Amino acid sequence: MADTATPNVIRRADYAPPAFLIDTVALEFDLVPERTVVRNTMRVRRNPDASHASNLELMGEQLEFVSAAIDGVAFANAHAHEHGLTLDNVPDNFELTLTSICNPAENTTLSGLYVSGGNFFTQCEAEGFRRITYFLDRPDVMATFTVTLRASKADYPVLLSNGNLLEEGDLPDGRHFARWEDPFRKPSYLFALVAGKLVALEERVKSGSGKEKLLQVWVEPHDLDKTRHAMDSLINSIRWDEARFGLELDLDRFMIVAVSDFNMGAMENKGLNIFNTKYVLANPETATDTDFANIEAVVGHEYFHNWTGNRVTCRDWFQLSLKEGLTVFRDQEFSADMAGGATDEAARATKRIEDVRVLRQMQFAEDAGPMAHPVRPESYVEINNFYTMTVYEKGSEVVRMYQTLFGRDGFRKGMDLYFKRHDGQAVTCDDFRHALADANGRDLAQFERWYSQAGTPRVSVRTKYDAAQQRYSVTLTQGYGDAAPAARETQKGPLLIPFAIGLIGKDGADLPLQLEGETKASNSTTRVLDFTQTEQTFTFVNVAQEPLPSLLRNFSAPVIVEYDYSADQLAFLLAHDSDPFNRWEAGQRLATRELLTLAGRAATGVPLQLDDSVVAAFARVLTDESLSPSFRELALMLPSEAYLAEQMAESNPAAVHAARQFVRKRLANALRKDWLAVYEKHRTPGAYEATPEAAGHRALKNLALSYLAELDDPAEAVRLASAQYDAANNMTDRSAALSALLNAAAANGGNVEAQQALDDFYRRFEKEPLVIDKWFALQATQRGSAQRPVIKIVRKLMAHPAFNLKNPNRARSLIFSFCAANPAQFHAEDGSGYAFWADQVIALDAINPQVAARLARSLELWRRFTPTLRDGMRTALEKVASQVKSRDVREIVEKALA
Ligand code: B3K
Ligand code: ZN
């Protein structure tokens, strides 16, 4: 299973078209858990656009080769080796039949064909198909597939594959078969099969052009009552893609299947999406509002891939963001439209804020470390390590910038041209950019740098008001600051940055905007500046009073803005900016600055104090009932510890934790009455409603509860949380109450209520694996104390009968939660967290390299930490480097140590 060969670096510059093409594939599976026989008949021909090769080199891994035949005649010159099969001196055009055997029961990597819960599933992206049969397993080889599945009818009553069902029937010996045909050419990474004991929620809908479509959500029988939301999300996704992009479902049938052992969120296999149960199963008792929203987003994401990814796919894996960045952008827009339609800016902003939080916390950090890479990477050792925040989230921001530049209509024109030119092809990020440029008549050569330069751009802003001339000039300077070495190498020149700006007057209202050289002010009070040079000055004229600038409205580009706002100015923006994103942003800046100052003091042992003006600014948001609850919740949530630590010259998780806790306590005690009032006012009694409004009330109320749990005397919070826990009719309220109890307990040396609730929670949901994941995660992320370090709890939970390292969701719920989402405890000075991390990376490496490599990334920023922690981190990294086998983990730890 492990790959011990010296890692080879794959480079984008080395791309060459395949020497052979495969036009059709007929696969036959005899499904047996320990010994599945696969017969693969392909139509192969030389690629007229490639240089000549006499041998056909097929990829294959972990396969037992049985036989090869060309045009029906046994072929002796086929040599199986560790990486595949070489066929010497093949004809120009021929039918190739290969037989091989694989062992799905023993496949713990969850890549290729594997068994989970007694059923068969596949995962082929990026390079899993070669673990099923020998093939040209690369995305620019596209073929039509016919698939015949044979299996025991009692054990595997349901047999699914891509496309349309052609026929099914019984076979001797209690076996049966099904034959599927996918009419669309596709690369091998989109192949899928599922076989097992499953049931489906079904729905028939008519697509835009009136054709009937069969929609199915397949799950294990006991989960059927948790499929409604996924089905509704699918129907909404279909409608949305028709309305917003004119894209219709192209198959007669579309299936979603849930599996509990899965390496990531979900997979967009043509017509047969396979999902982690976490992104399918939901009902109010088991799933939180966040789970509901995530399911909608992921169902949308995979469905939208049907066009952006499947109909038009990637030429090579360096182009991954072509489908991923674009599809994330599409799912973000879908969620925003579902929450707020096209016009409710405040509701849309909630989604935008959440997305930007993730980007800044995770992608900016990635950009600052050894894994920094451009949206279109130049090289990789293991492609699975490049399903990153940069490719996905920054990639989405890059796509969003086209829309910011050209507007929704211009973006749509570009998309239309993209499909007109490239439907059915495997293409590059350049092809996408050209379609956008050509459809809008604009040269986007400079924009290419967004794909090729790594690192987070910094834009510093200087402003000058000339009262006599009524001119206001804004000078923007761009650069990368002190970028990580991995990023610096890629940086060549200035970017085209769409920089959205507004000017705010003394009364808080937007001022009209007229740039020098224009004859009148524009209609809009937000202007997108085309910022293309290293330094550029934009001058606004007829500015009657000195304005306050609102910079990078709606986060119009993935950059860091540096501008010296005073605390009063930020408080003013927080109260008045017409751009809801920037209102939130002002509060974040205010809090970040304050928290970083406090963290600096905590690091040097200076007593902490918080300015009353900061408390007052928070109090205004807390008590402003004209603001939506969801906005208030986001505005009152302090920046995360991980984000704050990353902003320090030397990350110091303990100091950040102390500072953030100090502020939370201060806000809790100073505004106790207001938190209590908000808690009461935003209860949602009665039957659970899944609407964004109801979710907003719950979010704000539960935030209030979490602040109340910080009170010096938490008795009242404990009482409220216990009552909420007992009365809850939904998982959002129940888990928030449990979390509040755990945190109140940490500060006060434990409480019986927390332990009782924890025990009750386990008993109540023992049969719901996704809820038990929450039970593990809540404990792993809880606040610890010197007397009760969380590492002890985590180590104990590792021995719990419900813990299982082989199940990625469970491993993530306990190990990842602790190592990546509880920084203050993980980075304990005694190095206990790091030793634990090393043990778990090594253990996982032997089971599932992809999951191990994800965990391995939690120490990659070690060089940026305070010296007292650095040594411990390096020692742990070196231990892992000396013991791991997979190239997945190796690439991560070697880059970290380099
Ligand atoms: N395309 C898949 C991700 C595959 C990851 C392979 N390591 C899911 C998605 O982005 O929709
Ligand atoms: Zn995707």
Side-chain angles (χ1 to χ4, degrees):
M1 162 185 332
D3 183 345
T4 44
T6 333
N8 282 330
V9 179
I10 318 282
R11 291 177 203 287
R12 184 172 75 90
D14 294 341
Y15 173 82
F20 293 85
L21 297 173
I22 301 174
D23 293 316
T24 64
V25 185
L27 296 172
E28 292 169 68
F29 289 84
D30 281 291
L31 293 163
V32 176
E34 293 76 23
R35 197 173 187 278
T36 289
V37 181
V38 182
R39 208 170 115 104
N40 169 6
T41 305
M42 297 170 268
R43 201 66 237 176
V44 186
R45 66 182 159 98
R46 276 179 201 286
N47 182 357
D49 300 324
S51 45
H52 180 89
S54 39
N55 298 350
L56 172 61
E57 297 283 359
L58 298 176
M59 295 92 155
E61 277 173 19
Q62 304 288 307
L63 297 175
E64 186 187 318
F65 175 66
V66 177
S67 66
I70 284 186
D71 295 326
V73 180
F75 186 71
N77 289 333
H79 318 282
H81 51 85
E82 202 192 341
H83 300 290
L85 186 71
T86 305
L87 297 113
D88 296 340
N89 298 316
V90 296
D92 291 344
N93 189 328
F94 57 101
E95 185 187 82
L96 176 62
T97 303
L98 300 172
T99 306
S100 60
I101 295 169
C102 59
N103 185 345
E106 293 291 301
N107 182 1
T108 58
T109 66
L110 312 185
S111 164
L113 178 63
Y114 64 95
V115 174
S116 164
N119 299 326
F120 286 94
F121 298 90
T122 53
Q123 171 55 36
C124 292
E125 188 177 1
E127 298 179 335
F129 191 71
R130 64 188 64 181
R131 302 168 62 93
I132 296 174
T133 182
Y134 297 101
F135 204 72
L136 290 175
D137 189 15
R138 43 185 289 170
D140 55 356
V141 173
M142 298 172 78
T144 53
F145 284 64
T146 313
V147 178
T148 306
L149 304 174
R150 291 187 285 264
S152 147
K153 191 171 182 175
D155 296 337
Y156 310 103
V158 173
L159 302 173
L160 309 174
S161 191
N162 316 86
N164 302 317
L165 181 63
L166 292 182
E167 76 178 301
E168 56 187 338
D170 289 340
L171 296 168
D173 301 330
R175 294 174 71 77
H176 72 147
F177 79 97
R179 209 147 63 82
W180 293 80
E181 179 189 59
D182 181 355
F184 293 95
R185 290 169 68 237
K186 68 167 176 286
S188 51
Y189 82 85
L190 290 173
F191 165 80
L193 77 77
V194 171
K197 292 192 182 109
L198 299 165
V199 295
L201 173 68
E202 281 193 4
E203 196 92 349
R204 274 167 226 276
V205 298
K206 279 209 165 53
S207 68
S209 68
K211 291 194 203 84
E212 183 159 303
K213 309 285 177 184
L214 173 61
L215 311 179
Q216 296 175 319
V217 178
W218 291 94
V219 296
E220 291 187 22
H222 57 266
D223 286 325
L224 196 57
D225 62 343
K226 302 186 204 80
T227 50
R228 188 65 244 170
H229 179 62
M231 177 62 85
D232 289 341
S233 300
L234 176 59
I235 295 170
N236 289 333
S237 304
I238 294 172
R239 295 288 167 248
W240 183 85
D241 220 7
E242 289 173 348
R244 178 94 181 250
F245 288 107
L247 298 171
E248 201 174 335
L249 174 57
D250 54 9
L251 288 163
D252 303 339
R253 167 200 291 246
F254 191 88
M255 297 169 279
I256 286 176
V257 187
V259 56
S260 55
D261 292 291
F262 205 63
N263 282 346
M264 63 270 173
M267 178 63 213
E268 70 264 24
N269 316 299
K270 186 77 187 188
L272 181 59
N273 289 357
I274 298 182
F275 273 62
N276 187 325
T277 44
K278 184 173 161 63
Y279 296 106
V280 176
L281 304 179
N283 66 29
E285 286 77 41
T286 61
T288 62
D289 293 329
T290 306
D291 294 326
F292 274 85
N294 288 341
I295 289 168
E296 179 179 82
V298 179
V299 168
H301 181 97
E302 306 311 330
Y303 176 75
F304 303 143
H305 266 315
N306 191 48
W307 280 92
T308 50
N310 301 4
R311 286 288 285 254
V312 184
T313 195
C314 302
R315 185 193 72 174
D316 56 75
W317 291 121
F318 295 101
Q319 317 300 327
L320 185 57
S321 198
L322 171 77
K323 72 178 178 80
E324 295 305 347
L326 176 53
T327 306
V328 171
F329 170 73
R330 277 152 53 70
D331 86 53
Q332 290 178 348
E333 287 290 278
F334 166 60
S335 294
D337 284 346
M338 293 301 293
T343 51
D344 182 347
E345 287 306 326
R348 295 184 68 83
T350 304
K351 170 69 179 154
R352 184 74 185 127
I353 291 165
E354 286 163 356
D355 294 338
V356 173
R357 274 176 75 101
V358 172
L359 180 85
R360 283 211 284 231
Q361 186 179 316
M362 318 276 290
Q363 196 279 325
F364 284 17
E366 182 165 276
D367 252 348
M371 274 291 287
H373 56 276
V375 165
R376 184 191 54 209
E378 291 299 335
S379 68
Y380 59 76
V381 172
E382 169 53 61
I383 184 55
N384 286 315
N385 285 335
F386 283 80
Y387 286 73
T388 58
M389 281 290 167
T390 300
V391 165
Y392 276 66
E393 316 301 319
K394 185 176 182 179
S396 163
E397 294 299 320
V398 169
V399 173
R400 183 175 297 276
M401 286 189 283
Y402 293 111
Q403 182 171 275
T404 303
L405 288 168
F406 303 132
R408 271 195 189 204
D409 293 345
F411 185 74
R412 169 68 194 269
K413 275 198 272 172
M415 288 284 279
D416 290 350
L417 186 59
Y418 173 64
F419 290 116
K420 192 166 161 224
R421 283 182 180 170
H422 301 298
D423 188 13
Q425 299 173 9
V427 305
T428 66
C429 296
D430 290 329
D431 293 318
F432 184 73
R433 180 169 49 87
H434 290 142
L436 266 293
D438 295 349
N440 290 282
R442 174 148 179 186
D443 178 359
L444 287 178
Q446 185 182 7
F447 198 80
E448 194 273 341
R449 289 191 181 133
W450 279 110
Y451 292 92
S452 56
Q453 302 192 164
T456 308
R458 288 173 180 269
V459 176
S460 50
V461 184
R462 277 175 291 135
T463 56
K464 206 170 109 205
Y465 182 60
D466 180 339
Q469 303 287 322
Q470 303 213 330
R471 289 160 65 89
Y472 186 67
S473 67
V474 179
T475 301
L476 304 178
T477 312
Q478 57 170 302
Y480 285 93
D482 187 15
R488 212 178 309 138
E489 291 161 17
T490 66
Q491 294 161 358
K492 305 273 162 9
L495 298 154
L496 190 180
I497 298 176
F499 194 93
I501 185 172
L503 302 180
I504 302 175
K506 302 266 181 286
D507 60 352
D510 280 332
L511 300 176
L513 299 178
Q514 180 179 357
L515 279 168
E516 186 168 36
E518 293 174 348
T519 51
K520 60 176 178 47
S522 60
N523 295 329
S524 168
T525 52
T526 297
R527 211 39 206 263
V528 180
L529 304 174
D530 267 351
F531 174 32
T532 57
Q533 296 158 30
T534 302
E535 179 165 305
Q536 214 168 337
T537 297
F538 300 86
T539 302
F540 294 93
V541 297
N542 294 327
V543 184
Q545 48 166 304
E546 173 154 22
L548 187 58
S550 170
L551 303 167
L552 202 75
R553 280 186 161 173
N554 204 32
F555 199 71
S556 63
V559 304
I560 295 167
V561 174
E562 294 167 341
Y563 183 69
D564 214 2
Y565 285 113
S566 71
D568 287 347
Q569 289 175 328
L570 289 173
F572 187 81
L573 290 172
L574 176 59
H576 297 293
D577 200 321
S578 68
D579 183 68
F581 178 88
N582 265 6
R583 261 186 106 160
W584 169 80
E585 177 75 341
Q588 293 295 298
R589 272 180 187 265
L590 194 60
T592 302
R593 206 157 61 184
E594 208 57 41
L595 285 160
L596 289 176
T597 307
L598 291 170
R601 287 168 153 263
T604 49
V606 181
L608 307 185
Q609 56 201 36
L610 182 65
D611 203 86
D612 285 340
S613 67
V614 178
V615 179
F618 274 81
R620 271 196 297 278
V621 176
L622 178 57
T623 55
D624 185 348
E625 289 290 334
S626 73
L627 294 169
S628 78
S630 55
F631 178 84
R632 283 153 77 194
E633 191 250 347
L634 288 166
L636 294 164
M637 196 194 302
L638 299 177
S640 73
E641 290 182 16
Y643 175 74
L644 292 165
E646 168 57 22
Q647 308 304 303
M648 297 178 81
E650 283 181 339
S651 301
N652 185 335
V656 162
H657 182 71
R660 195 170 181 276
Q661 275 312 108
F662 171 80
V663 173
R664 279 177 60 84
K665 268 189 165 308
R666 179 72 207 286
L667 291 174
N669 287 311
L671 307 175
R672 179 175 165 278
K673 279 216 180 71
D674 297 317
W675 290 117
L676 278 170
V678 163
Y679 182 83
E680 291 304 330
K681 187 170 168 62
H682 293 277
R683 284 176 188 271
T684 50
Y688 172 85
E689 275 183 276
T691 61
E693 294 73 40
H697 288 297
R698 280 188 289 272
L700 180 59
K701 178 202 63 180
N702 287 327
L703 181 83
L705 183 62
S706 85
Y707 271 98
L708 290 166
E710 308 285 0
L711 287 172
D712 292 334
D713 174 7
E716 186 154 33
V718 169
R719 195 178 47 74
L720 289 174
S722 292
Q724 174 170 322
Y725 180 89
D726 291 336
N729 67 354
N730 65 82
M731 181 50 71
T732 305
D733 284 343
R734 201 185 297 277
S735 59
L738 178 53
S739 166
L741 287 172
L742 284 171
N743 287 335
N748 299 278
N751 65 35
V752 286
E753 290 86 348
Q755 195 52 50
Q756 276 170 0
L758 216 42
D759 295 344
D760 174 84
F761 193 91
Y762 188 83
R763 275 194 306 275
R764 211 183 263 263
F765 298 109
E766 211 169 349
K767 296 210 160 53
E768 300 288 351
L770 294 171
V771 185
I772 297 304
D773 288 340
K774 294 182 197 301
W775 184 79
F776 279 106
L778 278 167
Q779 296 181 78
T781 52
Q782 71 186 303
R783 199 165 304 147
S785 62
Q787 307 86 312
R788 247 176 127 249
V790 177
I791 180 74
K792 276 204 169 153
I793 301 168
V794 169
R795 284 209 181 266
K796 201 167 141 210
L797 286 171
M798 294 285 295
H800 191 281
F803 186 74
N804 171 13
L805 194 61
K806 288 192 176 150
N807 175 258
N809 284 357
R810 196 51 55 85
R812 283 186 280 256
S813 74
L814 183 59
I815 301 170
F816 288 48
S817 294
F818 176 67
C819 296
N822 196 345
Q825 291 292 311
F826 174 62
H827 294 284
E829 287 237 7
D830 62 5
S832 52
Y834 306 148
F836 173 76
W837 169 88
D839 291 346
Q840 302 317 318
V841 173
I842 292 164
L844 276 167
D845 188 61
I847 298 170
N848 188 329
Q850 281 186 44
V851 173
R854 287 280 151 157
L855 181 62
R857 294 199 56 188
S858 17
L859 282 197
E860 73 186 23
L861 292 179
W862 69 280
R863 283 181 208 277
R864 298 175 61 89
F865 278 71
T866 180
T868 49
L869 298 177
R870 244 179 264 158
D871 284 347
M873 297 169 103
R874 196 188 46 229
T875 307
L877 279 161
E878 282 166 351
K879 177 173 177 186
V880 169
S882 71
Q883 294 192 28
V884 293
K885 306 249 164 31
S886 73
R887 65 164 181 258
D888 307 58
V889 177
R890 225 176 248 199
E891 176 172 30
I892 302 299
V893 292
E894 282 177 3
K895 282 182 174 163
L897 287 167

